[in-house]
Amino acid sequence: MADVAARASVSLSTVSLAYSGAGPISPEMKARVEKAAADLGYAGPSAQARALRSGRSHVVGVLIHDSFTLAFRAPHVLNVMDGLISALGDMGLGALLIPTPRDADDDRSLLATAPMDAAVLLRVRDHDDPAIELLNKRSLPFVVMDAEAPAGAGQVSIDDTTATVQLIEHLRELGHERIGTITLPHAPGGATGLRPRDYMPKSAWSPMHHRLEAFRVAGVEPCVVVEARESMLAEGIAAGHLALGHESQPTALVAQSDALAAGAVVAARELGLSVPHDVSITGFDGIDLPWLAPLELTTVVQDGVAKGAALASEVGELLRGETPSQISMPLEVRVGSSTAPVRAND
C-alpha cells in the first residue's frame, strides 16, 4: 500500500479509503489509486489481515440439519437459500454451509471452530438443540427460521398452524371427514412410515409440530398419519401409498409440503385413484409444479426467496448491534383443482 501511495502521489490513508470505502474519497482519486495499484500488480489488502484487524470474518454460517444431498432437493429450501445467499452477498458477506453438530460438546464441528460473524439456523428442533448451545458458548449472534427464537436471537417465521387449520376447514366444508396427513420429518435420519393418529414427537422440527397441532386446533383427529423421511417427491409417493392404502380409507390428505403432496398425487394415480374426485390432496409452500398440469394444488403459498432475504436482513441487524426483529412472513391459502367435494358414496 505504501508503494501504491508513492506511485499515485497520495497519502497511505487515501489508499486505505480507496479499498475500504469507509470514508469520503472522490471518484477521480479512487481511480488514480486503482491505476497505480494496477501498474504495480497490487491486488489489494490481504483479506486475512483485514479480518484480523477488524475482528470480522465477513462469513455467516448456515446450518443444514439434513445431509446436503437431501437438504438441497427440497424446492422450498433452495428458494430460501437463493434469497439468503443473494442478500448476504449484497451486504458483502459470504456463507459457509455447516452440517448439524452431533451434540453440544462436538468440538470438531465447524459450528464450534470456524471463523464466522453470525449464523442462520434453517431448522431448530427445540431450545435444547445442540447448535444453539454451541452458538451460545461462542457468544455468536444467530437467526432461526420457522421456530421460536431464544432471547437475543433473530427470528423469521410463519403462522403455519393457522394456515393449516384453514386447509382442514376447507376440506371439511367440502364434506370430508376421513382426513389423513403426510408430515415432514421430526428429525434427520428417520424413515417414511405410519405413525399413531395422535402422533406428536416431544422434540420435533417446528413446522412439523405446528402443522400437526393444527388438527387439534381444528378439532379433527387425522384418520391416518404418515411421517416422510424428507420433503421429496419420492418420499411423498411412498407416503402416499401408505396413507391411501390404509384401512381408514381417507378421502383427503393434508401434506405438509408441496413436494410431498405432489408425490401423493402420483401415488393416487398409481393406485388408480382420481385426484380430486376420489381423493382430495393439499400441500404447503406454493412451489412451481408445472408437470402436474392441468392439476393445480390447493396449497399455502409462501415466498421462499423473500424469506431468505429476511433472514439476511436480521443478520445485518445483529452485526450492527441492533435488537433483531421478529419477522412473520405472510401466507396465502390458494385453492386449486386438487380438492373437491367428497363423493356421495364416500
Side-chain angles (χ1 to χ4, degrees):
M1 289 178 69
D3 291 341
V4 171
R7 187 175 186 91
S9 300
V10 299
S11 67
L12 189 60
S13 62
T14 298
V15 177
S16 179
L17 287 176
Y19 284 103
S20 69
I25 183 172
S26 69
E28 294 78 13
M29 188 63 72
K30 190 172 186 293
R32 184 170 160 184
V33 170
E34 289 174 344
K35 182 179 185 307
D39 291 343
L40 294 171
Y42 177 63
S46 162
Q48 292 89 341
R50 182 181 292 175
L52 286 171
R53 181 167 182 159
S54 67
R56 290 282 181 89
S57 65
H58 302 284
V59 171
V60 175
V62 179
L63 192 74
I64 307 293
H65 272 82
D66 301 304
S67 70
F68 289 163
T69 303
L70 291 176
F72 292 110
R73 288 185 185 179
H76 178 63
V77 174
L78 287 175
N79 288 338
V80 171
M81 290 296 293
D82 184 10
L84 174 61
I85 300 299
S86 296
L88 289 176
D90 292 341
M91 296 160 59
L93 300 171
L96 173 66
L97 299 181
I98 301 175
T100 183
R102 293 169 297 182
D103 53 59
D105 296 320
D106 187 358
D107 294 333
R108 293 183 299 176
S109 169
L110 280 173
L111 202 61
T113 60
M116 65 182 79
D117 299 330
V120 173
L121 280 63
L122 297 184
R123 286 196 179 183
V124 178
R125 292 195 297 276
D126 53 40
H127 290 319
D128 294 326
D129 193 303
I132 291 179
E133 291 190 49
L134 278 172
L135 290 167
N136 285 334
K137 284 180 181 179
R138 294 187 61 179
S139 298
L140 275 176
F142 62 92
V143 182
V144 300
M145 183 178 81
D146 293 341
E148 184 178 348
Q155 173 183 317
V156 176
S157 59
I158 55 174
D159 186 0
D160 44 353
T161 299
T162 297
T164 304
V165 167
Q166 292 174 333
L167 289 177
I168 296 169
E169 290 177 343
H170 165 68
L171 292 170
R172 295 186 74 184
E173 288 169 0
L174 293 173
H176 294 278
E177 297 179 358
R178 301 195 305 275
I179 304 173
T181 186
I182 298 174
T183 81
L184 294 162
H186 82 275
T192 297
L194 290 166
R195 302 292 184 260
R197 292 169 65 182
D198 60 351
Y199 186 52
M200 185 67 77
K202 290 183 179 179
S203 177
W205 182 32
S206 294
M208 180 215 196
H209 179 94
H210 294 162
R211 297 169 204 183
L212 276 175
E213 178 70 7
F215 278 86
R216 186 193 66 78
V217 174
V220 175
E221 184 176 60
C223 65
V224 60
V225 177
V226 181
E227 179 180 357
R229 182 173 69 104
E230 188 49 65
S231 181
M232 295 164 46
L233 178 66
E235 301 303 326
I237 295 173
H241 274 279
L242 289 173
L244 295 172
H246 191 258
E247 61 185 7
S248 63
Q249 297 182 311
T251 62
L253 292 177
V254 176
Q256 291 189 356
S257 77
D258 285 347
L260 293 174
V265 170
V266 174
R269 291 171 177 173
E270 290 176 350
L271 292 169
L273 299 174
S274 170
V275 179
H277 303 296
D278 295 318
V279 60
S280 291
I281 296 175
T282 69
F284 202 107
D285 292 333
I287 64 173
D288 190 22
L289 295 168
W291 58 271
L292 278 181
L295 190 72
E296 293 183 355
L297 279 179
T298 293
T299 188
V300 175
V301 181
Q302 60 173 325
D303 189 335
V305 175
K307 198 174 191 178
L311 289 166
S313 174
E314 293 220 344
V315 167
E317 290 177 350
L318 288 167
L319 293 181
R320 291 191 297 271
E322 301 171 5
T323 300
S325 308
Q326 307 298 304
I327 299 175
S328 180
M329 303 296 294
L331 297 175
E332 176 191 356
V333 175
R334 183 177 67 199
V335 176
S337 57
S338 67
T339 53
V342 68
R343 295 172 64 166
N345 60 350
D346 290 331

